[in-house]
Amino acid sequence: MTNSISEIQNADAIFAIGTNTTESHPIIGQQVVKAQNKGAKVVVADPRKTPIAEMADIWLNPLPGTNVALLNGLMNVIVEEDLIDKAYINDNTENFEEVKEIVKNYTPKKVEDITGVPAEKIKEAARIYGKANKAPILYTMGITQFTTGTDGVFSVANMALMTGNVGIESGGVNPLRGQNNVQGACDLGGLPNVFTAYQKVDNPDAVEKFSKFWGAKLSDKPGKAVTEMMATAGDEIKALYIMGENPMLTDPNLGHVEKSLESLDFLVVQDILMTETAEKADVVLPAATFAEKDGTFTNTERRVQRVRKAIPEQGDSKADWKIFSELSTKMGMPMNYSSPEEIMDELREVTPSYAGISYERIEDEGIQWPCPSTDHPGTKYLHKDGKFPIGKAKFTGIEYKPAAESPDEEYPYILTTGRVLYHYHSVMTRRSKELDEEAPKGFMEIHPEDADRLSIEDEELVKVSSRRGEVKAPVKITDKISKGVVYMSFHYKEMAANKLTNELYDPKAKTPELKVSAVKIEKL
């Protein structure tokens, strides 16, 4: 997030696209409610009428996979009606003319034909966002989980920049992280092509810096993303070490995932539960839960916070840092850390954005990076006064490209997937009796007209098939889903939606297209 969670309530308008905020991020959802109560207009773009869409002033329901066309259509109106911030564009950005030229072709009528969103609604939404002084954009996987996910993010950035909504309080571009330490994992080297603080692995200076610091010769070759690992498992990759991840339920095309894992010579899984993936492992390393360990989490607003051990490690479990340290030492690279704080102090030396963040300083409420020194207060919002890491912010012209798989005569419906309020991801919340009683089974949402066409009734069990697999799912008939689109949550192994989804991924981000798959529905 460029901005902070608490700033959202002071916005003049909020544009939420591809995010089921009030269910998946309820604390942030409360901020949206507060803003609306203060008079802010809320625009939501989502194929489903989620709870945040129900409360919105305008709900745009584009077909899954058409986000870029919709965003270009909104920008078309913003440009044509002169709602751009000319002074901001001239002083702080470059390459605007390229975007201006591209969006000129995305008239509201043309975008209506692509997305299904009425042209008048596109105009109305664009005016709300374009006329607001402070307008944050919120988004999640409904923007990124496409073969054109990177294009979607560029488009979001384009719209924020052309209206001067970056570098101001209560504005910005704000991806909402799906788990408690996704941001921290990325910040501290949890991506295949960077060291900590996004220092590139293929940068000779960065390689030399980290090699010298750790006393080991490091490779300058980026690693593989998860999607690439599954594609090459059993071929290029002979062994895999999976930590806190359950690809046998959450990765796309589960049939392919199962074959990939079974083709390995050796599989290690480190987790707190015996997941569907752990059941396939040669070795399972029992990890400690959050309550059994000390350390830090970095949340969605870049805030580094303390985590404190509440109970002893249970059974044979160990904190992740202990497991890694012991394994590394046995494999010839000694790691003799005595505590997570010692690791954090080391990280601060090589991570400029975390340099001023010590355990002592974050004891009470945490600090938001970048925090370059111990006398720095942290950064509430990024890019103030037009200061960008690359100098001037760069617009990127993006043309709409369809999803990798479109509905056809054999598979006439679009499947999109996501979460429900009561379940967090794949297994943890289903171990809670109370939560599982609230949402004990999954379902397939379908529009009433599509249900009539198929002669199926509410709660009837149907077979849903794609080119990759099939599942049986009970039906939930609702007008909160667009016609021609069906929705399934991915939490339930008994109706594993990811047996159906497409493993093709964005060429830049390597994120799979979990939000668009062509399916057919049959009565049983």
Side-chain angles (χ1 to χ4, degrees):
M1 291 175 70
T2 60
N3 290 63
S4 299
I5 294 169
S6 61
E7 294 173 34
I8 295 169
Q9 65 177 294
N10 296 318
D12 300 320
I14 295 167
F15 180 57
I17 179 167
T19 168
N20 183 3
T21 312
T22 43
E23 285 196 277
S24 296
H25 302 89
I27 301 300
I28 296 172
Q30 289 174 13
Q31 291 284 318
V32 177
V33 172
K34 286 179 182 178
Q36 193 175 46
N37 288 341
K38 291 179 181 180
K41 296 290 186 182
V42 178
V43 178
V44 173
D46 197 298
R48 297 174 67 226
K49 197 168 192 179
T50 60
I52 190 174
E54 287 188 322
M55 62 174 270
D57 295 279
I58 298 179
W59 171 44
L60 312 175
N61 57 330
L63 289 170
T66 62
N67 287 328
V68 170
L70 177 64
L71 289 161
N72 279 351
L74 293 167
M75 286 187 274
N76 172 284
V77 178
I78 289 168
V79 171
E80 291 298 317
E81 299 192 3
D82 200 26
L83 302 176
I84 60 174
D85 188 331
K86 294 188 184 74
Y88 182 90
I89 292 168
N90 291 336
D91 294 344
N92 303 301
T93 74
E94 57 187 34
N95 208 39
F96 173 64
E97 291 302 317
E98 180 189 355
V99 171
K100 184 178 177 181
E101 191 62 30
I102 285 175
V103 302
K104 184 166 53 175
N105 298 319
Y106 288 83
T107 63
K109 182 63 181 75
K110 178 179 177 179
V111 172
E112 177 180 344
D113 293 341
I114 297 170
T115 65
V117 178
E120 287 306 312
K121 274 196 171 185
I122 293 170
K123 292 176 187 176
E124 194 179 350
R127 289 166 188 150
I128 288 174
Y129 180 79
K131 290 178 181 179
N133 292 320
K134 299 177 293 183
I137 298 175
L138 312 179
Y139 74 86
T140 59
M141 301 300 189
I143 275 282
T144 57
Q145 287 182 338
F146 298 97
T147 49
T148 56
T150 301
D151 290 349
V153 175
F154 275 134
S155 299
V156 163
N158 288 339
M159 194 164 86
L161 287 171
M162 71 168 54
T163 53
N165 265 304
V166 180
I168 62 168
E169 244 183 289
S170 300
V173 176
N174 301 290
L176 311 180
R177 297 305 202 170
Q179 299 184 36
N180 58 346
N181 196 40
V182 172
Q183 187 64 57
C186 295
D187 295 343
L188 299 181
L191 298 170
N193 61 336
V194 292
F195 296 113
T196 66
Y198 310 97
Q199 299 169 81
K200 298 283 188 181
V201 165
D202 57 6
N203 181 331
D205 292 338
V207 173
E208 183 181 357
K209 168 184 170 179
F210 283 91
S211 294
K212 185 176 180 181
F213 188 81
W214 284 327
K217 184 174 173 54
L218 302 180
S219 170
D220 62 355
K221 293 181 173 56
K224 292 182 183 294
V226 172
T227 40
E228 294 173 306
M229 291 180 194
M230 287 301 169
T232 55
D235 182 15
E236 292 178 44
I237 293 176
K238 302 298 183 185
L240 203 55
Y241 189 135
I242 298 175
M243 170 195 174
E245 194 78 18
N246 187 20
M248 275 301 300
L249 197 57
T250 60
D251 274 19
N253 192 354
L254 293 182
H256 175 256
V257 172
E258 186 168 30
K259 288 177 184 175
S260 296
L261 295 181
E262 289 175 350
S263 68
L264 293 165
D265 292 348
F266 187 51
L267 175 62
V268 182
V269 173
Q270 180 173 320
D271 214 316
I272 63 173
L273 296 168
M274 184 58 78
T275 64
E276 290 80 7
T277 306
E279 288 171 358
K280 293 192 169 294
D282 298 291
V283 175
V284 178
L285 301 174
T289 66
F290 74 96
E292 301 163 66
K293 58 190 177 186
D294 286 306
T296 63
F297 291 149
T298 306
N299 76 354
T300 193
E301 64 172 5
R302 298 170 283 104
R303 186 177 298 277
V304 185
Q305 302 174 97
R306 284 281 280 115
V307 180
R308 296 169 183 82
K309 189 171 183 174
I311 58 173
E313 292 161 336
Q314 302 293 296
D316 294 327
S317 68
K318 293 184 180 182
D320 299 307
W321 70 270
K322 290 182 181 177
I323 295 173
F324 287 136
S325 296
E326 290 183 25
L327 273 175
S328 181
T329 300
K330 287 178 182 293
M331 294 172 72
M333 174 66 188
M335 288 188 181
N336 300 311
Y337 301 111
S338 60
S339 69
E341 185 174 8
E342 186 181 339
I343 298 169
M344 183 67 168
D345 287 340
E346 179 185 292
L347 282 164
R348 290 170 57 205
E349 293 186 52
V350 288
T351 311
S353 55
Y354 277 62
I357 302 177
S358 65
Y359 270 34
E360 183 181 4
R361 292 194 71 202
I362 61 173
E363 186 65 27
D364 294 327
E365 60 179 27
I367 292 176
Q368 290 169 280
W369 66 258
C371 179
S373 62
T374 52
D375 59 356
H376 192 284
T379 306
K380 187 176 181 181
Y381 61 92
L382 302 178
H383 317 308
K384 186 179 180 181
D385 300 323
K387 293 177 181 175
F388 294 92
I390 60 171
K392 289 193 171 186
K394 186 174 182 179
F395 281 94
T396 308
I398 300 293
E399 295 280 6
Y400 162 70
K401 295 186 283 290
E405 190 172 70
S406 299
D408 56 22
E409 193 172 330
E410 186 178 4
Y411 297 95
Y413 296 93
I414 298 172
L415 167 70
T416 193
T417 64
R419 292 177 174 170
V420 298
L421 173 63
Y422 297 100
H423 292 305
Y424 169 64
H425 214 54
S426 70
V427 291
M428 286 185 280
T429 47
R430 295 205 71 197
R431 302 297 176 98
S432 160
K433 181 173 178 288
E434 291 80 4
L435 288 172
D436 210 45
E437 283 177 353
E438 290 289 347
K441 65 179 182 179
F443 48 81
M444 183 198 74
E445 288 184 359
I446 188 169
H447 191 275
E449 290 184 26
D450 292 325
D452 285 346
R453 192 176 301 112
L454 293 162
S455 301
I456 55 178
E457 298 179 1
D458 206 38
E459 298 193 9
E460 182 177 343
L461 200 65
V462 298
K463 183 168 80 171
V464 190
S465 311
S466 74
R467 291 176 174 85
R468 291 157 292 278
E470 62 183 49
V471 298
K472 293 176 182 177
V475 166
K476 182 177 181 179
I477 299 173
T478 174
D479 60 4
K480 293 178 182 178
I481 190 84
S482 301
K483 282 184 281 188
V485 179
V486 296
Y487 169 83
M488 293 172 67
S489 57
F490 60 83
H491 311 291
Y492 301 90
K493 65 180 181 181
E494 55 269 35
M495 51 159 277
N498 282 319
K499 286 184 177 179
L500 310 173
T501 51
N502 198 337
E503 76 275 17
L504 295 179
Y505 51 81
D506 180 288
K508 295 186 181 75
K510 317 299 182 187
T511 305
E513 193 153 74
L514 293 168
K515 299 301 184 196
V516 181
S517 304
V519 298
K520 62 182 174 183
I521 300 156
E522 299 170 88
K523 286 177 71 71
L524 290 173

